[in-house]
Amino acid sequence: MRKYFCALALLSLVLNVAFAQSADLKKLEDITTTAIKKAYAASVRCYGFDTVKKQQNSSQFSAVSVKDGYILTVAHAIVPGNTYKVRFTDGRETIAAALGEITDQERQGLPDMGLMKLLQPGDWPYAEMGWSYSLKRNEPCISISYPETLNLLAPTVRFGRITNPADEWGFVVSTCKMEPGDSGGGLFDYMGRVIALHSRIAMPEDVNFEVPVDKYRQYWSALLKRESYKQFPAQQDEVGKDPEQGNILTLPYLETLPTELQHVDRRAGERVIRIRSAVNGSERYVLGTVFNYKGKTVIVSKSSEVGDAPELMGNGKGDKGLRVLKRDPDNDLVLLQAKSKMKAAFKLDSRKETDSLSTKDTGRFLLSPIPSAPAKMSVISASGIHLPRKYSVGYFGAGATFIEEKITITRFGPSSPAAKVLKLKDHITQINGVTVSLPPHYGAELMKYNAGDTISIDGMREGVPFHVKVGLTSTPAMSDHPAEHFAGGKSRRPDGFKGVFIHDAALRPEECGGPVLDREGNLQGINIARFSRTASLAVPLAIVKSFIGI
């Protein structure tokens, strides 16, 4: 054990010297990906599970497996004595029982601690427990957990820094973004040690509150009992000493990391453009990526945000009109051609070596150039992801009941587009010319259309036929949770993709359509959607090449 601590101390000393003078992004990327490999397998997906009825009985949450079969999570995710299904990243599933949890009903700060124990012995992966008292401002950190909206069986990764090792409530504050489902997941240091557990968020995306791991150490004996504590227990344990305390790495440049990648951003230059067009009567803005292949210059962008008569924004000379060549509805891509000459473009060829990303690329640094604005820094969170249509389905906002063998409107949802032209007790007979005579027909037909589409509705109102048109919108936020109200919000089409990769850039919807580069400036794909607070989506380069015709 002493040799292990000495090795870690030497590693930290070397890293501090290496990073002292300037940003060595390759070394930072290397230690980040190494830490992820250490911590990833111990990051587990959990939910309440009735072992008699064999069914889920609670929402999904995240946790971290530590030594001897114990599972660290947060109090608001568990109930002492209840059982939970625990799924590891290698696909193995087992059952855990909740032990103790510590909360304080009189305030919203600390504590928020929960502990579970695996019921089945086994060679389960586990993470090393670190120390939180030794954390420093601008120390790099990593989040590995399971956002509920993505509903993935593997966790996603986010990179950030410690902004406050201990705030007024006792939380560790980090820039690693969180959303529902991440609760109980691990915040890891750059050595792969769990240093805190995800608890809650503020409205700004870079303000995220974590339960310090030292609190688990301090109240370990109390947490081993199946009890709900409403305040800190009297019994306390020794926290111990961090052998790395004197060698903790801090990187002030993390506060402005995109500036360290401006040499990559400059090379992108005019290969990223802004596009303006009208979609269903609404003015839209989006980015486009300029390519050159065999002397042909084309632009790729996000199809659902580009109308039939787009134009190039900016002060360039010549005709700013863009010609739509083709569209790919499945990948939401559009191929455009400028009517005037473009100054710069990404050069494409038919090589395939760097066209595909895999799990081994998780944690690699990325840069999303934005014209006339700072670039967005991110890391690869997950790759090869399939996201079915759910949030991109157009919002109609009218519930129907089958009454006297007629589909009858019986309720309207909040901010309902249908409520503007329909009335309660209207009978619906057709949607976009398709007859709907049974309840399954009604829902199935509406599911075909996206936000922004306009559909026609035929029906009967008090015995009189009517025909109206309804413009579908995005589903309104159904919660006041801060995770639903991040800057810019979701893209109008945030899902319905196959084979995309996820990264943690805080993109706005109008910043999609632009390129995603690695830290060396190599093109990795096209940003296609802002999916949620923690996730932006990008189409890999292989799909883009296939769309262009390479």
Side-chain angles (χ1 to χ4, degrees):
M1 184 63 72
R2 182 175 297 173
K3 290 181 179 179
Y4 174 70
F5 286 150
C6 289
L8 279 180
L10 179 60
L11 172 64
S12 293
L13 179 62
V14 171
L15 289 173
N16 272 296
V17 172
F19 286 115
Q21 302 300 321
S22 63
D24 188 333
L25 296 176
K26 183 182 185 306
K27 287 188 177 181
L28 179 58
E29 184 179 79
D30 287 345
I31 65 168
T32 299
T33 54
T34 299
I36 290 168
K37 289 175 183 176
K38 287 183 63 177
Y40 191 86
S43 302
V44 295
R45 182 180 189 255
C46 309
Y47 55 81
F49 188 76
D50 187 321
T51 57
V52 176
K53 296 180 179 179
K54 307 294 183 184
Q55 63 185 27
Q56 182 175 340
N57 59 15
S58 84
S59 299
Q60 169 192 315
F61 61 97
S62 301
V64 180
S65 170
V66 294
K67 197 173 181 180
D68 298 326
Y70 290 104
I71 305 288
L72 305 183
T73 188
V74 287
H76 71 260
I78 64 170
V79 176
N82 284 10
T83 51
Y84 296 84
K85 180 69 69 72
V86 176
R87 189 182 195 279
F88 286 84
T89 58
D90 62 10
R92 288 185 291 168
E93 295 184 338
T94 188
I95 300 296
L99 301 177
E101 58 97 1
I102 307 175
T103 59
D104 188 339
Q105 294 180 332
E106 296 183 359
R107 63 176 185 165
Q108 294 299 308
L110 282 179
D112 184 16
M113 295 177 284
L115 185 67
M116 302 192 295
K117 182 72 177 346
L118 297 178
L119 298 182
Q120 179 182 352
D123 184 22
W124 304 110
Y126 65 89
E128 179 189 355
M129 288 179 65
W131 283 262
S132 45
Y133 79 88
S134 56
L135 294 175
K136 295 182 179 180
R137 186 171 180 269
N138 288 328
E139 178 180 346
C141 56
I142 302 155
S143 163
I144 309 178
S145 51
Y146 296 78
E148 191 172 22
T149 54
L150 285 167
N151 194 30
L152 300 177
L153 295 179
T156 62
V157 172
R158 284 137 266 171
F159 174 83
R161 61 187 176 90
I162 302 296
T163 57
N164 193 339
D167 72 355
E168 59 181 317
W169 297 105
F171 286 107
V172 175
V173 186
S174 83
T175 63
C176 289
K177 295 188 284 294
M178 289 188 274
E179 61 180 78
D182 288 327
S183 291
L187 187 74
F188 300 89
D189 65 13
Y190 61 92
M191 290 174 276
R193 307 181 301 176
V194 58
I195 51 175
L197 285 301
H198 299 333
S199 180
R200 59 200 67 196
I201 63 176
M203 193 69 77
E205 293 171 67
D206 60 354
V207 181
N208 303 272
F209 301 102
E210 323 272 356
V211 183
V213 75
D214 286 357
K215 291 298 180 185
Y216 293 82
R217 292 181 176 274
Q218 187 177 0
Y219 295 100
W220 190 262
S221 294
L223 287 168
L224 290 176
K225 303 172 184 177
R226 293 187 179 182
E227 294 187 23
S228 291
Y229 302 92
K230 303 308 176 188
Q231 57 187 6
F232 283 118
Q235 182 180 7
Q236 297 185 31
D237 302 315
E238 289 292 328
V239 171
K241 297 294 184 181
D242 182 1
E244 295 301 309
Q245 181 177 355
N247 304 304
I248 298 299
L249 180 65
T250 60
L251 305 175
Y253 70 76
L254 289 179
E255 296 186 26
T256 56
L257 188 54
T259 63
E260 303 294 332
L261 295 170
Q262 289 308 305
H263 64 288
V264 175
D265 192 18
R266 280 194 298 271
R267 274 186 268 162
E270 296 180 1
R271 294 178 286 186
V272 189
I273 62 170
R274 291 187 182 275
I275 299 169
R276 175 175 55 205
S277 62
V279 180
N280 294 322
S282 175
E283 193 168 57
R284 302 282 180 83
Y285 299 89
V286 73
L287 299 185
T289 304
V290 185
F291 293 97
N292 183 281
Y293 176 62
K294 293 184 176 180
K296 180 181 178 182
T297 301
V298 293
I299 301 158
V300 176
S301 187
K302 181 175 174 66
S303 181
S304 58
E305 294 296 320
V306 176
D308 293 331
E311 61 180 17
L312 174 67
M313 296 180 64
N315 299 319
K317 298 179 180 180
D319 190 339
K320 296 182 180 180
L322 299 171
R323 183 182 297 109
V324 177
L325 300 179
K326 64 176 179 177
R327 297 181 185 269
D328 177 358
D330 290 340
N331 294 300
D332 201 17
L333 297 174
V334 61
L335 191 66
L336 307 167
Q337 190 171 43
K339 296 179 181 179
S340 56
K341 187 176 181 180
M342 306 297 293
K343 294 182 179 179
F346 288 100
K347 293 182 179 179
L348 292 176
D349 56 34
S350 58
R351 290 180 299 171
K352 301 294 182 182
E353 290 85 355
T354 60
D355 287 356
S356 299
L357 299 173
S358 64
T359 303
K360 66 179 176 61
D361 297 300
T362 302
R364 282 177 51 195
F365 292 166
L366 299 174
L367 190 73
S368 297
I370 311 294
S372 305
K376 299 294 179 73
M377 166 72 191
S378 62
V379 298
I380 297 175
S381 300
S383 57
I385 302 301
H386 299 335
L387 290 176
R389 290 176 73 250
K390 180 179 178 181
Y391 300 102
S392 60
V393 173
Y395 178 59
F396 186 60
T401 304
F402 202 49
I403 300 175
E404 296 180 351
E405 298 186 350
K406 297 176 182 178
I407 297 175
T408 306
I409 300 298
T410 53
R411 63 189 181 281
F412 292 113
S415 305
S416 166
K420 297 177 181 179
V421 293
L422 298 179
K423 295 182 178 180
L424 295 177
K425 299 183 180 181
D426 281 352
H427 300 151
I428 306 302
T429 59
Q430 288 188 337
I431 298 175
N432 255 14
V434 177
T435 299
V436 289
S437 56
L438 294 172
H441 299 165
Y442 178 76
E445 192 59 32
L446 289 174
M447 286 289 290
K448 295 179 181 179
Y449 304 101
N450 297 321
D453 289 345
T454 298
I455 61 174
S456 62
I457 303 294
D458 289 277
M460 299 289 291
R461 179 179 299 156
E462 297 179 349
V464 179
F466 69 84
H467 176 87
V468 295
K469 290 187 176 182
V470 180
L472 305 182
T473 63
S474 299
T475 302
M478 299 300 180
S479 168
D480 288 330
H481 196 287
E484 296 292 335
H485 301 281
F486 52 91
K490 296 181 179 182
S491 294
R492 291 177 181 87
R493 180 180 167 183
D495 54 19
F497 303 109
K498 292 183 179 180
V500 294
F501 64 90
I502 301 173
H503 59 111
D504 64 343
L507 293 178
R508 301 177 72 95
E510 63 270 20
E511 293 170 342
C512 293
V516 190
L517 313 175
D518 65 15
R519 61 175 175 77
E520 295 179 336
N522 300 309
L523 185 64
Q524 299 298 317
I526 300 293
N527 281 316
I528 202 64
R530 180 68 186 271
F531 178 81
S532 68
R533 189 178 195 261
T534 67
S536 290
L537 310 181
V539 175
L541 181 58
I543 293 177
V544 176
K545 284 185 174 183
S546 177
F547 175 57
I548 293 174
I550 299 174

